[in-house]
Amino acid sequence: MMFIETRGNDATRPEKVRFSEAILAPMCSFGGIYVPESLPSLDQTFLKAHLDSDYKTLARSILEAFDIDIDAAVIDEALNLYDGFDDPSNPVPVVKVMEDLYVAELYHGPTRAFKDMALQPFGVILSSLAQARDQDYLILAATSGDTGPATLETFKNRKNVRVACLYPKGGTSDVQRLQMVTEDATNLKVIGIRGDFDDAQTALKTLLGSESFNQKLSEKNILLSAANSVNFGRIIFQIVYHIHSYLELIRQGAIEFGEKVYLDVPSGNFGNALGGYYAMKMGLPVEKIIIASNINNVLTHLIKEGKYDLRDSAVIPTTSPAMDILKSSNVERVLFDLFGAERTRELMQQLDNEKFYKLSETELSRLQQIFTADFCMDEEGKKYIRATFEQGYLMDPHTATCFKAYETCREKPLVTIVYSTAEWTKFSPTIANALTGEMDTHDQDALKSIAKTAGITIPAVVSELFEKPITQTTVIDKEDIEKEILEFIS
Ligand SMILES: *Cc1c(COP(=O)(O)O)cnc(C)c1O
């Protein structure tokens, strides 16, 4: 399987690359991103054959169908990371919450959020490619919360890869910060920035574009790479759990083989939803994909009105911060798939230059054949958390946005899979507030209060964080980031 570029080829790069190239050097012509040239088809025979497969067996077959240039032994080693999830035989439990609403829990990995689903196996693949090529990579990450811990966790002590992770000091939850600053490995550097997430991200972008910085890296024979959410090495693992969840519904007797379902996804950068879109194109019986957002609702407007409008918008901080995103990067892959490279380049250039694009009527109706969307305000989300808890299910604020969309977006009474992207432990102050009305500012108090109210225990990986020694103590001004990173790699 070869990979091509969403905005066409500028003749200075290869027209097609293999998977390894697409993940190690993801830069594309005209600022585009890599997409598979074609998708394998998972017909009924494939799905039937996997009715009784465990997660890793299913994943192996799907990856095989993509025919990527990664050794089977490396793929196996990567998939073995799912053995570290709560239930090694089923890393993604699918739980019945209402008669026709099932929740696929994507948060049972080491950092308690869905980023582990893709980043855990991805870390093995990237590191083994780097070793095979005898190259050293530096991965730079700026995080507002979930990506940082998951990136550090996956690359911890892996050969030929170092990670420098920037986070806004005071801008993450206690659990998220502790997950980062208690990481103890010589190939990891965690840097607190005096400023907000935008400052951290802007500083990172400046650095990536800085000639002197790149010059100094190449003097040390270090290559830059990114583990961000447009990397296809992450997307490929996000196709698997959609198919797994569908098969789980059959196993649980919730649907008949071949019956269509809704996929209901809390969306930010659209990686999770894109995985569902590819699964649907490959043959999974999906009625529509429901895109749930918070008040940062650019995707709702895109899918309802065909307009992507960033002209008067600024990110509004919410209680579902992993979805506080306006430029949803993976949408580009859907545009490419539906409308081709030329049109994608035109639309994306308009977005870059004018902060706006509008689809034609025909284009919009094609988008609406696949997607439907709604958004959920923080206060509404809390009501869903509370009401659902009273029915016996505890969920986080990202997942709650899907419950609103479940009520407003379905045109047919079909079974719906809601994707739950974070455990209650990661956003505990909001949840404690939803359940009891109290206003804890510290995670530790909120965690205890939820555990008591719900009669559950705090998972050890979370409670232990508060006891672990803090090993990553660097906090600096953004002007000093370059110096700090150069010191780390020398
Ligand atoms: C990253 C994240 C999301 C958004 O996922 P995308 O693939 O970027 O759309 C939603 N919820 C949580 C908890 C996340 O960490």
Side-chain angles (χ1 to χ4, degrees):
M1 159 94 48
M2 299 297 279
F3 288 77
I4 54 176
E5 303 160 286
T6 48
R7 301 188 195 180
N9 183 265
D10 66 5
T12 71
R13 289 166 199 272
E15 270 184 33
K16 297 172 185 185
V17 300
R18 308 225 44 150
F19 177 78
S20 56
E21 207 51 42
I23 70 170
L24 284 175
M27 296 288 281
C28 280
S29 308
F30 311 114
I33 43 183
Y34 281 116
V35 279
E37 193 175 23
S38 61
L39 289 169
S41 121
L42 308 182
D43 53 14
Q44 301 237 334
T45 329
F46 179 96
L47 292 176
K48 279 217 169 97
H50 284 289
L51 266 178
D52 294 316
S53 293
D54 63 19
Y55 195 88
K56 287 198 290 179
T57 307
L58 174 69
R60 208 176 292 120
S61 285
I62 295 170
L63 266 69
E64 260 166 32
F66 270 90
D67 188 25
I68 53 178
D69 61 331
I70 304 292
D71 288 346
V74 174
I75 290 180
D76 278 344
E77 194 195 330
L79 295 176
N80 283 345
L81 271 285
Y82 290 125
D83 293 344
F85 282 47
D86 290 339
D87 177 358
S89 72
N90 184 5
V92 182
V94 178
V95 180
K96 180 174 181 173
V97 173
M98 290 184 223
E99 206 36 50
D100 57 1
L101 185 156
Y102 287 70
V103 176
E105 298 178 344
L106 302 174
Y107 56 73
H108 289 279
T111 72
R112 318 315 285 168
F114 113 101
K115 301 293 187 285
D116 289 331
M117 289 307 306
L119 276 167
Q120 280 283 299
F122 177 74
V124 172
I125 291 188
L126 193 88
S127 162
S128 79
L129 283 174
Q131 290 172 62
R133 298 177 174 208
D134 204 13
Q135 293 170 332
D136 282 300
Y137 282 88
L138 172 66
I139 290 182
L140 293 178
T143 186
S144 62
D146 285 340
T147 305
T151 306
L152 295 164
E153 189 61 30
T154 193
F155 290 113
K156 176 165 71 180
N157 295 321
R158 289 213 187 280
K159 295 200 182 101
N160 297 48
V161 181
R162 275 174 272 201
V163 180
C165 177
L166 312 177
Y167 72 96
K169 172 88 179 130
T172 69
S173 77
D174 299 338
V175 166
Q176 289 170 330
R177 180 177 46 81
L178 289 172
Q179 284 178 328
M180 295 188 274
V181 298
T182 58
E183 282 288 17
D184 190 10
T186 50
N187 70 328
L188 306 180
K189 178 78 190 176
V190 179
I191 303 172
I193 306 296
R194 293 187 195 97
D196 59 19
F197 173 59
D198 272 342
D199 294 327
Q201 199 167 35
T202 310
L204 185 94
K205 281 192 183 147
T206 314
L207 209 54
L208 288 172
S210 146
E211 240 173 69
S212 77
F213 180 68
N214 280 282
Q215 177 65 32
K216 282 173 196 146
L217 289 185
S218 60
E219 279 163 20
K220 295 183 165 56
N221 280 320
I222 293 176
L223 296 156
L224 268 179
S225 187
N228 58 26
S229 65
V230 293
N231 196 306
F232 203 85
R234 284 175 59 176
I235 301 296
I236 198 166
F237 291 105
Q238 294 180 2
I239 298 170
V240 179
Y241 56 72
H242 293 286
I243 297 164
H244 159 85
S245 301
Y246 183 86
L247 294 173
E248 268 291 306
L249 290 185
I250 300 175
R251 290 193 276 266
Q252 294 183 23
I255 55 168
E256 299 289 333
F257 190 89
E259 205 175 316
K260 286 193 174 177
V261 296
Y262 284 102
L263 311 181
D264 188 355
V265 187
S267 297
N269 248 331
F270 217 75
N272 195 351
L274 181 75
Y277 173 74
Y278 283 151
M280 181 178 178
K281 280 215 51 173
M282 287 157 70
L284 196 71
V286 173
E287 174 67 21
K288 271 187 189 175
I289 302 172
I290 303 173
I291 302 301
S293 300
N294 61 30
I295 186 72
N296 296 291
N297 56 4
V298 279
L299 294 172
T300 315
H301 287 296
L302 175 68
I303 291 160
K304 287 199 160 158
E305 296 140 31
K307 291 180 195 159
Y308 207 113
D309 194 348
L310 299 176
R311 284 173 300 193
D312 298 307
S313 48
V315 176
I316 301 166
T318 72
T319 55
S320 45
M323 295 155 70
D324 293 351
I325 286 174
L326 296 177
K327 261 191 108 174
S328 183
S329 320
N330 276 300
V331 170
E332 179 167 348
R333 287 188 162 114
V334 175
L335 297 180
F336 170 82
D337 205 66
L338 295 175
F339 314 130
E342 213 170 302
R343 180 63 172 149
T344 303
R345 182 158 108 220
E346 187 177 51
L347 292 170
M348 295 314 294
Q349 279 176 354
Q350 271 178 27
L351 191 63
D352 284 343
N353 300 335
E354 296 154 43
K355 297 187 168 228
F356 175 81
Y357 68 70
K358 185 172 183 307
L359 302 176
S360 70
E361 283 299 319
T362 341
E363 288 168 340
L364 177 59
S365 81
R366 286 193 64 194
L367 195 68
Q368 289 176 340
Q369 279 160 22
I370 301 156
F371 298 101
T372 168
D374 201 0
F375 69 98
C376 177
M377 312 279 281
D378 284 355
E379 283 308 311
E380 287 177 289
K382 271 196 258 171
K383 284 187 196 138
Y384 282 102
I385 292 174
R386 185 176 174 106
T388 309
F389 174 68
E390 281 164 1
Q391 294 171 24
Y393 189 75
L394 185 59
M395 67 180 168
D396 101 295
H398 300 78
T399 314
T401 64
C402 295
F403 277 62
K404 159 98 183 275
Y406 158 83
E407 282 183 1
T408 58
C409 290
R410 296 186 320 155
E411 291 147 347
K412 297 181 185 170
L414 299 173
V415 173
T416 302
I417 306 172
V418 161
Y419 291 89
S420 182
T421 47
E423 189 179 54
W424 60 275
T425 53
K426 278 211 111 163
F427 301 94
S428 55
T430 303
I431 300 171
N433 179 251
L435 299 188
T436 66
E438 65 192 84
M439 303 283 275
D440 295 312
T441 45
H442 286 291
D443 287 21
Q444 218 171 359
D445 302 325
L447 286 167
K448 282 183 192 148
S449 137
I450 299 166
K452 188 157 164 262
T453 310
I456 49 180
T457 47
I458 305 167
V461 281
V462 175
S463 55
E464 282 162 5
L465 285 172
F466 297 92
E467 316 296 328
K468 273 192 176 174
I470 290 175
T471 46
Q472 303 271 359
T473 52
T474 307
V475 177
I476 56 176
D477 291 322
K478 54 183 190 247
E479 291 73 29
D480 298 326
I481 295 173
E482 176 167 353
K483 186 169 134 267
E484 195 65 42
I485 293 177
L486 288 172
E487 258 166 46
F488 162 58
I489 56 174
S490 52

